[in-house]
């Protein structure tokens, strides 16, 4: 069926059932198709619905792909809004299997100001040592090292330094220590 008459109905259903679709194995693919094939108001509304549920979706095994897909659309306002939704949670999200991938994308796609804010949030997290030793968190810290520069990079390295003896005894901590970006 080549008729596009059903598309408005499909998009409205996707918007109305966004969380249910995003957290379903096949539904997350449907949402990604809707995002890539839509424009204008419907796309805007669908992105807004994803953003308003970003904290829940990024922790889901399928929903995290939808949030990451929005980053890949390169829509600046959407990226900023996702970062705002996740602010204050980056430490906890870094230590979860699915959301840690989203945090890595946040570091990649954020502008300099937001990236600095994320990294400062990680530096100031009282559980930084746990994040660095975590099976998922260590990748976030490596990404933070890769995406930071100047005084922020130096501050991150300084925050890591007191934990070096502990990191040497941890399989995941060793990954942080072996990061080339730690040495720059």
């Amino acid at each position: 069926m080549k008729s596009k008459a059903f598309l408005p109905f499909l998009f409205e259903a996707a918007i109305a059932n966004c969380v249910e679709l995003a957290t379903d194995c096949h539904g997350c693919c449907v949402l990604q198709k809707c995002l890539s094939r839509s424009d204008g108001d419907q796309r805007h509304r669908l992105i807004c619905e994803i953003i308003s549920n970003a904290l829940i979706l990024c922790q889901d095994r399928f929903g995290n792909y939808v949030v990451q897909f929005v980053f890949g659309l390169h829509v600046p306002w959407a990226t900023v809004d996702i970062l705002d939704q996740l602010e204050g949670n980056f430490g906890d999200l870094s230590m979860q299997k699915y959301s840690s991938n989203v945090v890595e994308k946040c570091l990649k796609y954020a502008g300099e100001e937001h990236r600095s804010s994320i990294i400062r949030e990680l530096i100031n997290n009282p559980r930084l040592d746990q994040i660095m030793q975590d099976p998922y968190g260590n990748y976030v810290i490596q990404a933070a090292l890769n995406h930071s520069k100047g005084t922020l990079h130096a501050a991150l390295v300084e925050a890591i330094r007191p934990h070096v003896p502990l990191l040497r005894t941890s399989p995941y901590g060793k990954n942080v220590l072996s990061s080339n970006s730690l040495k720059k």
Side-chain angles (χ1 to χ4, degrees), residues 21 39 47 49 56 66 71 85 94 99 116 125 140 144 146 154 162 184:
L21 283 170
D39 55 17
I47 290 173
E49 194 62 31
I56 296 163
V66 176
F71 281 126
Q85 285 288 319
S94 295
S99 57
S116 296
N125 190 302
V140 171
N146 287 331
K184 68 174 176 179

Side-chain angles (χ1 to χ4, degrees), residues 17-145:
N17 299 288
C18 180
V19 173
E20 293 81 1
L21 283 170
T23 56
D24 177 76
C25 149
H26 301 293
C28 74
C29 297
V30 169
L31 272 185
Q32 290 175 48
K33 284 275 194 229
C34 287
L35 287 167
S36 61
R37 303 230 170 128
S38 63
D39 55 17
D41 182 58
Q42 286 179 321
R43 184 184 207 196
H44 181 85
R45 288 174 47 226
L46 184 53
I47 290 173
C48 286
E49 194 62 31
I50 291 165
I51 290 167
S52 67
N53 292 288
L55 185 58
I56 296 163
L57 295 178
C58 76
Q59 297 175 72
D60 182 78
R61 68 182 180 156
F62 302 117
N64 81 91
Y65 292 112
V66 176
V67 176
Q68 291 182 64
F69 190 85
V70 172
F71 281 126
L73 294 173
H74 302 285
V75 179
W77 65 265
T79 298
V80 169
D81 286 359
I82 291 171
L83 297 171
D84 288 346
Q85 285 288 319
L86 303 182
E87 185 178 359
N89 295 288
F90 288 111
D92 290 336
L93 295 174
S94 295
M95 294 189 285
Q96 296 177 37
K97 182 174 184 173
Y98 306 113
S99 57
S100 65
N101 295 314
V102 174
V103 177
E104 288 183 57
K105 289 287 196 277
C106 289
L107 289 164
K108 179 179 178 179
Y109 288 105
E112 201 60 45
E113 184 181 323
H114 280 94
R115 184 178 301 119
S116 296
S117 177
I118 295 167
I119 294 171
R120 280 193 302 275
E121 185 178 319
L122 292 169
I123 288 171
N124 295 322
N125 190 302
R127 299 189 319 157
L128 176 62
D129 60 329
Q130 292 173 34
I131 297 169
M132 292 186 290
Q133 296 177 78
D134 186 78
Y136 311 109
N138 81 89
Y139 290 108
V140 171
I141 299 301
Q142 290 177 66
L145 285 164

